[in-house]
Amino acid sequence: MQQPLDPQEIPPGCPAHENVRLYGPSFGADPDGHYAHLRSFGLSAPVDIAPDVEVELVTSYDAALYVLQNPASFVRDSRRWNALNEGRVPADSPALPMMSYRPNALFSDGAAHARLRQAVTDSLSTVNELQLVRQTQQSADYLISRFSGEPRGQAELMAEYAQPLPLLVFSELFGCPPEIGDRVIAGISGIFEGAPGSDEVLGGALTELIALKHRRPAADLTTRLMEHPARLSDEEVLHQLVTLLSGGTAPLSATIGSSSALYLGEEWQTGLPVEDAVAQSLWNYAPIANYAAHYPVHDVELGGRTLRADDPVLISFAAANTDPQLTEHRRQLSAKAHLAFGAGPHACPAKDPAFMIAVTAVETLLNRLPDIEMRVPFKTLAWVPSPWSRSLVTLPVRFTPQTQPVAAARPGQAAQPAATSQQGSSAGQPSGTRGSQPQNSAASQPKGGLFSRFLAWTRGE
């Protein structure tokens, strides 16, 4: 007797499937193929975003805009979620950390949303653009210094550059002292990696940071949130910081990685600016692939399908951005018309700083390592098999090793002449301030976590 097929091995579209599974190795190996199949359902399709968690996924660009820009019919408060309230969502579901309610702007509506979002947008508006560029360059210089002198002239850019860079930038923006910054980075990194206890680590670190800012307010994002006229409670401040971290660091890491890979890839047209690579990455590889759960306040007909009240409707930013219906007029759209940052009242409030950080990160990498290239073709790179994000697993590169470590670029300091590589080529980096110490020696490795070591490096310790 023939054994039944493993459901994971049944191709998308086979009648044996009740819903298309948007998780696991099959989806990770071919997300675009899954999106193409889902479009056969119409403007949206039923999918399992995790085991036993069914959602309606919007794959059409125009339909996504309709949902995102229609808060009267679609709200974000996940306490309305039918299946969750009826006990049909597994208690250990990986969908819960992404979709369950938190008291932040992302899961709020109406006046509550307006109050929290105003505090966030006003606080972000005080960030000086030139200072943000310098902070990004300084973080990039530090991370590059850790691998640029390796004799083998190779690095893995996701783990060694794209992933830690936004964490350093955000820790500075939040005004973290070294030890708290280390725990913030450990906590948010652990949450993305699924490490037990990471929520408690992050919550404890941010609670200490808020208490510190009560005693010693400063010119940082945490203090600005605390002092905003909206008068956020400490708990509300904490949850807005968590939202900025989770909504900013991982997507930025994904964007830096895919943009670098595009720019270095074999199909990229030489001479085009880095901004084009970042924009193309946001269009074709939306870092937040499927997210933004909305709940219809009443049954809604959308393209012949009924979206039931209080059943979750997710937006596939990845599928919407690559909607074939856009093919004919996408070139006429603004380069920023992609949905990678969302749209409507819940659009990302930090989209301009995020774009600036990504561009600066890629430009700094190219300037410091001018002969950098990928070790494998772009088409062979693997993507993380997650329904929530589109991020490269690894980005292996090679370059000419640098004879001197990259030096810290202090605020207001002009770019210094480039150091010389072993082969006499310009390295495009500031002159060193730490002599010729081997970068892996004990003297160049201060104690503490990533943020402590970064701050010590900026001080030349």
Side-chain angles (χ1 to χ4, degrees), residues 68-368:
L68 292 166
Q69 296 177 339
N70 191 356
S73 297
F74 298 93
V75 298
R76 298 295 300 270
D77 190 339
S78 59
R79 290 174 294 186
R80 305 175 68 104
W81 187 359
N82 281 331
L84 183 63
N85 293 332
E86 295 165 6
R88 293 187 282 117
V89 177
D92 60 351
S93 173
L96 286 176
M98 304 300 294
M99 295 177 60
S100 56
Y101 175 80
R102 298 175 188 267
N104 59 31
L106 196 61
F107 291 94
S108 303
D109 302 289
H113 169 258
R115 171 177 168 269
L116 294 174
R117 183 179 174 88
Q118 193 65 51
V120 172
T121 54
D122 287 350
S123 299
L124 285 170
S125 70
T126 64
V127 175
N128 181 279
E129 291 185 359
L130 292 178
Q131 181 182 2
L132 182 60
V133 169
R134 287 196 294 267
Q135 287 176 334
T136 304
Q137 289 174 333
Q138 194 172 50
S139 299
D141 284 342
Y142 168 66
L143 295 170
I144 294 168
S145 77
R146 300 175 77 191
F147 60 77
S148 61
E150 288 289 336
R152 60 196 175 105
Q154 295 183 1
E156 198 291 279
L157 284 187
M158 291 306 298
E160 297 182 69
Y161 188 69
Q163 291 168 358
L165 193 152
L167 296 172
L168 292 176
V169 173
F170 273 70
S171 295
E172 280 203 282
L173 286 175
F174 285 6
C176 293
E179 192 271 338
I180 291 179
D182 287 341
R183 286 190 288 137
V184 166
I185 290 176
I188 193 66
S189 299
I191 288 173
F192 286 123
E193 296 165 3
S198 299
D199 271 320
E200 291 77 9
V201 172
L202 179 61
L206 292 178
T207 297
E208 287 187 30
L209 177 63
I210 292 168
L212 173 66
K213 299 305 175 182
H214 276 301
R215 300 191 303 271
R216 297 201 299 271
D220 52 56
L221 202 55
T222 305
T223 302
R224 291 169 190 138
L225 275 171
M226 293 170 61
E227 295 179 346
H228 191 271
R231 300 179 65 84
L232 272 60
S233 67
D234 285 356
E235 182 185 15
E236 288 175 326
V237 171
L238 185 150
H239 282 286
Q240 307 326 301
L241 292 176
V242 171
T243 302
L244 287 168
L245 273 173
S246 58
T249 56
L252 260 175
S253 296
T255 302
I256 293 168
S258 57
S259 301
S260 300
L262 274 175
Y263 195 92
L264 298 173
E266 61 276 9
E267 296 182 0
W268 188 254
Q269 184 177 340
T270 304
L272 290 179
V274 168
E275 287 88 343
D276 286 5
V278 175
Q280 185 171 321
S281 171
L282 293 169
W283 270 108
N284 294 338
Y285 309 102
I288 302 177
N290 306 286
Y291 194 54
H294 290 71
Y295 300 85
V297 298
H298 51 77
D299 289 359
V300 176
E301 294 295 321
L302 184 68
R305 293 185 58 82
T306 300
L307 310 183
R308 300 294 183 186
D310 296 333
D311 282 349
V313 178
L314 267 63
I315 306 298
S316 179
F317 300 105
N321 277 352
T322 56
D323 185 349
Q325 298 297 319
L326 290 177
T327 303
E328 294 184 1
H329 63 281
R330 180 166 145 176
R331 291 185 179 181
Q332 280 71 51
L333 291 172
S334 163
K336 297 182 179 180
H338 57 76
L339 299 182
F341 294 127
H346 284 87
C348 175
K351 58 185 178 180
D352 291 335
F355 189 85
M356 185 183 304
I357 291 171
V359 170
T360 303
V362 179
E363 286 181 341
T364 305
L365 180 70
L366 298 172
N367 288 336
R368 301 299 183 262

